[in-house]
Amino acid sequence: MIIQTSTANFLIEKSESKKGCVSIRSNSQDELNRFFGSLEISLTEDLFYSYEIQPCKQEFANAMILMVKEIDYSEFVEFSLQMA
């Protein structure tokens, strides 16, 4: 799954090395720190998704809640009017 925000891109996949966890790669180390501050961030060889963490599913769910809370819904009004 890919999640794009105004400040970063995130690639979420099943972790192959840690059972019950997900692998999250991003182009922004700062955003990974902001959403998953207590987890170790490692460098990858991927040029677009240079940083990676492997949170458990509960840590990922908590970060998703924060992301949803940050959505600026005022931008959707303009979009939905254009689609009508």
Side-chain angles (χ1 to χ4, degrees):
M1 167 176 40
I2 295 176
I3 297 175
Q4 295 178 314
T5 68
S6 60
T7 55
N9 295 315
F10 301 90
L11 176 63
I12 296 99
E13 301 175 313
K14 177 182 174 183
S15 175
E16 298 298 326
S17 61
K18 291 176 102 177
K19 187 175 182 171
C21 294
V22 293
S23 171
I24 301 176
R25 288 183 274 158
S26 179
N27 62 331
S28 174
Q29 183 177 14
D30 291 338
E31 287 298 283
L32 284 177
N33 270 325
R34 192 166 72 85
F35 288 112
F36 304 94
S38 62
L39 298 178
E40 179 182 339
I41 297 174
S42 58
L43 289 173
T44 72
E45 294 185 17
D46 188 322
L47 294 176
F48 191 69
Y49 297 105
S50 302
Y51 307 99
E52 180 180 29
I53 58 167
Q54 295 196 11
C56 70
K57 290 179 182 178
Q58 184 61 52
E59 290 168 316
F60 174 58
N62 292 342
M64 290 295 298
I65 290 167
L66 291 174
M67 285 182 185
V68 169
K69 285 182 176 181
E70 292 182 359
I71 294 173
D72 181 1
Y73 291 98
S74 65
E75 294 179 12
F76 289 100
V77 174
E78 182 180 323
F79 178 75
S80 63
L81 291 175
Q82 290 177 357
M83 296 296 289

